[in-house]
Amino acid sequence: MSKGKILSGMRPTGALHLGNYFGALENWVKLQNEYECFFFIADWHALTTGYEDTSNIKENIDELVISYLSAGLDPEKCNMFLQSSIKEHAELHLLFSMSTPLSWLFRCPTYKDQLAQMKDKNITTYGFLGYPNLQAADILVYKANFVPVGEDQVPHLELTREVARRFNYLYGETFPEPQPILTKAKVLPGTDGRKMSKSYGNTISLADSPDTVRKKVSSMITDPARIRKDDQGHPDVCGVYAFHKVFNEAELPEIETQCKGGKIGCVQCKRNLADKMVNYLEPIYEKRQEILKKPSIIREVIEKGNEAAKKVASGTMEDVRKAMKIDW
Ligand code: TRP
Ligand code: SF4
């Protein structure tokens, strides 16, 4: 029945927004029916850039679990667990750190990009440089075959395969080389037209109520050239249209024609979109309310997942120690 083992994770940065959801989670929900899945919360990874202020981590972990569950991950179908509960990740990371050349880490494009972007934080640290090496340990400790991720994570997957290859060469065949499952990019702009990002305050979140969703949609930036209803519009530069592409595929050709011909007003077009979005997001929001009424479920789900993860990870570490002849 299962097509192989899948592993993926996200850093706990709070409730997911629609960019995160369509970038990964939506796909995970489908994959849990076809593969043996391990989905985790990368709380140690959150420390690589956020080690100075750790005050929100616990809350953010809870929020991420709620997002996982309300979006449709099912503890009967997949394992959800917490990275820091499975110490084997740390042990394997340490062992990989012995043999991973520094040059592999320095040349990783995400390393250079983030250093440049986060000038306000001191992340010229050992831990941050080793981020992809910890990620390799996350993946290989489950001997995962596939890793569903966005395009931005491809360099980390490449490094993971190099680490696996080097280990297998030095100590004997131990790890499979995991392949990415790329999520088709559904690009959703933020409500202000820029990239959707928490730091811009322009997100729509899985935690937003239907009312909030409607308000945010009505404030979205549209084609700036359109002032009156009969002005000819350019859907391709309109954020609302980008959302219709995701939430309202059926009416897309019609909306395009009407917008270009100046036949619908933006207010009406937005109201239509808000209806479609609420239709899609309301069940997720309702599920969230259910969980908030009985928050003990969060811990129950993670403890169940931790147990399953621990079993696989400790088995792999026995193989690893044996292969390295450090099983004294
Ligand atoms: N680096 C990933 C991200 O930022 C998170 C992550 C950590 C991850 N370990 C992983 C993803 C292992 C997939 C597999 O999104
Ligand atoms: Fe955008 Fe719709 Fe207005 Fe056209 S009619 S500019 S698609 S909101």
Side-chain angles (χ1 to χ4, degrees), residues 221-223 226 233-235 238-241 244 255-256 258-260 264-267 269-270:
I221 306 287
T222 63
D223 173 6
R226 263 195 117 204
H234 310 84
C238 172
V240 175
Y241 189 73
H244 274 295
I255 291 169
E256 183 182 354
Q258 291 185 326
C259 174
K260 284 184 174 164
I264 38 165
C266 294
V267 174
C269 186
K270 283 175 169 179

